[in-house]
Amino acid sequence: MMELSQKLAVLGRLEAYLGGKGTEEEQESLRLAKQLAFAHNGWFTPEFVDLSLQNICKYYLAPEKLEAWVAQYPGFGRPASRKKVGIVAAGNIPLVGFHDWLTGFLSGHEIRIKLSSKDNILLPHIFEKIAEWAPEAAQDTVVADMLRDCDAYIATGSNNSARYFNYYFAKYPHIIRRNRTSAAVLTGAESPEELDALADDVMLYFGLGCRNVTKVYVPEGYDFEPLLTALKKYDRLADHHKYKNNYDYNLALYLLNLSPYQTNGSLLLHESESLFSPLSVLHYGFYRNRQELEAQLRESQDLQCLVAADAVPFGQAQYPSLTDYADGVDTAAFLASL
């Protein structure tokens, strides 16, 4: 089994590789993997795959951040008893399962990972590269279609799949994640720069991530024009045929149902009670007491991030750190406790 120091060293090489600092041959290898990922899943555009890789390098693999993070868990990477940990990875945005794998890899346990069919190119490519640099690492991560005989499980999926996960994994230590989304609370006093940043929270990765803002809460009498103008920053997404199909479909529904909406030509604004909005739609709702609203939202089981002046800053929802655990459950502490 690799020592923790060896794993940190190989992750340092991974940071250089994913950051485009490898040899010409390595850069070509990464380019082909990204190209194949886009061909396999049209939502994984070069722009958003590159963004995901940049974020992994900056927020997850920076050596000083990794070392400080690992130091928070005494004994991490040196379990008294090595377990088999099954990970069911999501695939809604590029490499969304990387943090779970990274935590498992450093924990010292054997990781068996079931990949999403939507994101089964980039992660295996990373595993292959690590095994190429450090052959002994090959035994630490196994890609599997079935996760049988594991000692613990980490599974991410829809509300429906979460019910199955809870049934099948009930007798094992587990973390089960379900559908979540994010919301923003606006006061009406936001600067153009803050609204421009909020556009990132809404539109990055086409809005497919659980950290994407799918609903904004605004005071009564709010003027939506500045927000719609800021969101035009992502007009280019309407050139993507899969996104445009969603926009046209939802626009047709609102027209046929005589349902009020606003649009800037690439995103629809629609008033709704639901936190979750369809792709290409941003829901909104009105509030009277901001403090009460934010307190209620913080208690919601459906909320991943709250973007507000006194919560996650505008523009930062899609830039999680190593300690921004999905659903607020500390994955590293869970693995360290096995």
Side-chain angles (χ1 to χ4, degrees):
M1 186 177 75
M2 291 180 71
E3 293 294 326
L4 183 60
S5 59
Q6 294 174 300
K7 291 183 177 181
L8 290 172
V10 81
L11 290 172
R13 184 165 181 180
L14 180 64
E15 179 204 17
Y17 175 72
L18 297 181
K21 302 170 188 173
T23 64
E24 286 188 16
E25 183 180 351
E26 286 181 330
Q27 290 180 44
E28 178 64 9
S29 175
L30 181 59
R31 186 190 69 80
L32 289 174
K34 293 191 291 184
Q35 189 177 65
L36 186 58
F38 180 42
H40 177 73
N41 183 345
W43 294 113
F44 286 14
T45 61
E47 173 190 359
F48 291 142
V49 169
D50 283 341
L51 176 64
S52 181
L53 292 175
Q54 290 164 16
N55 288 346
I56 285 172
C57 291
K58 182 176 180 180
Y59 298 105
Y60 291 170
L61 295 179
E64 66 281 3
K65 292 180 180 177
L66 261 183
E67 291 170 9
W69 177 54
V70 169
Q72 297 177 39
Y73 306 91
F76 198 63
R78 297 175 291 278
S81 175
R82 183 171 157 91
K83 308 291 187 180
K84 293 177 183 177
V85 179
I87 295 177
V88 181
N92 47 321
I93 65 175
L95 292 166
V96 68
F98 183 86
H99 188 278
D100 279 342
W101 168 79
L102 174 67
T103 312
F105 178 65
L106 290 174
S107 73
H109 297 298
E110 178 187 331
I111 300 306
R112 296 186 177 184
I113 184 167
K114 177 176 172 55
L115 300 170
S116 165
S117 60
K118 298 175 183 177
D119 190 12
N120 57 8
I121 306 295
L122 296 171
L123 274 172
H125 179 75
I126 288 173
F127 303 155
E128 289 167 9
K129 279 297 171 184
I130 288 178
E132 178 183 315
W133 301 327
E136 62 272 33
Q139 62 183 319
D140 289 327
T141 303
V142 177
V143 175
D145 291 327
M146 298 290 289
L147 298 181
R148 291 176 176 156
D149 304 320
C150 292
D151 301 300
Y153 292 90
I154 299 171
T156 306
S158 66
N159 289 351
N160 190 48
S161 61
R163 286 194 289 270
Y164 287 98
F165 294 150
N166 276 310
Y167 174 77
Y168 287 114
F169 304 150
K171 63 181 180 180
Y172 304 97
H174 61 264
I175 295 174
I176 307 296
R177 307 194 189 105
R178 53 193 283 279
N179 284 350
R180 288 212 178 198
T181 192
S182 300
V185 178
L186 308 183
T187 65
E190 286 75 23
S191 67
E193 291 76 20
E194 287 175 317
L195 292 179
D196 181 81
L198 176 62
D200 296 341
D201 298 327
V202 175
M203 302 299 291
L204 286 177
Y205 304 112
F206 297 100
L208 289 167
C210 64
R211 298 181 67 90
N212 282 107
V213 168
T214 53
K215 182 169 184 177
V216 292
Y217 290 89
V218 298
E220 294 179 343
Y222 181 80
D223 178 10
F224 286 96
E225 194 58 37
L227 176 59
L228 284 167
T229 299
L231 289 163
K232 286 182 70 67
K233 173 182 180 180
Y234 284 93
D235 272 357
R236 65 186 182 279
L237 297 191
D239 295 329
H240 187 279
H241 70 283
K242 293 168 77 73
Y243 180 87
K244 186 62 162 57
N245 287 344
N246 280 270
Y247 175 87
D248 289 343
Y249 173 79
N250 287 304
L251 176 60
L253 282 181
Y254 296 148
L255 290 171
L256 287 170
N257 293 326
L258 301 178
S259 184
Y261 70 90
Q262 300 180 61
T263 183
N264 61 6
S266 57
L267 183 74
L268 295 155
L269 273 178
H270 178 65
E271 186 176 3
S272 172
E273 291 292 322
S274 176
L275 275 175
F276 296 88
S277 67
L279 191 69
S280 77
V281 177
L282 176 62
H283 283 167
Y284 67 87
F286 296 100
Y287 69 84
R288 292 184 179 178
N289 187 305
R290 183 165 61 89
Q291 286 73 27
E292 286 183 7
L293 170 66
E294 290 188 12
Q296 292 171 4
L297 289 172
R298 291 178 198 278
E299 295 298 317
S300 172
Q301 295 299 305
D302 293 326
L303 199 70
Q304 189 71 261
C305 296
L306 175 61
V307 176
D310 52 355
V312 175
F314 293 108
Q316 294 302 303
Q318 283 296 350
Y319 300 96
S321 70
L322 283 163
T323 55
D324 285 322
Y325 299 106
D327 294 14
V329 180
D330 189 327
T331 318
F334 168 75
L335 291 169
S337 71
L338 295 178

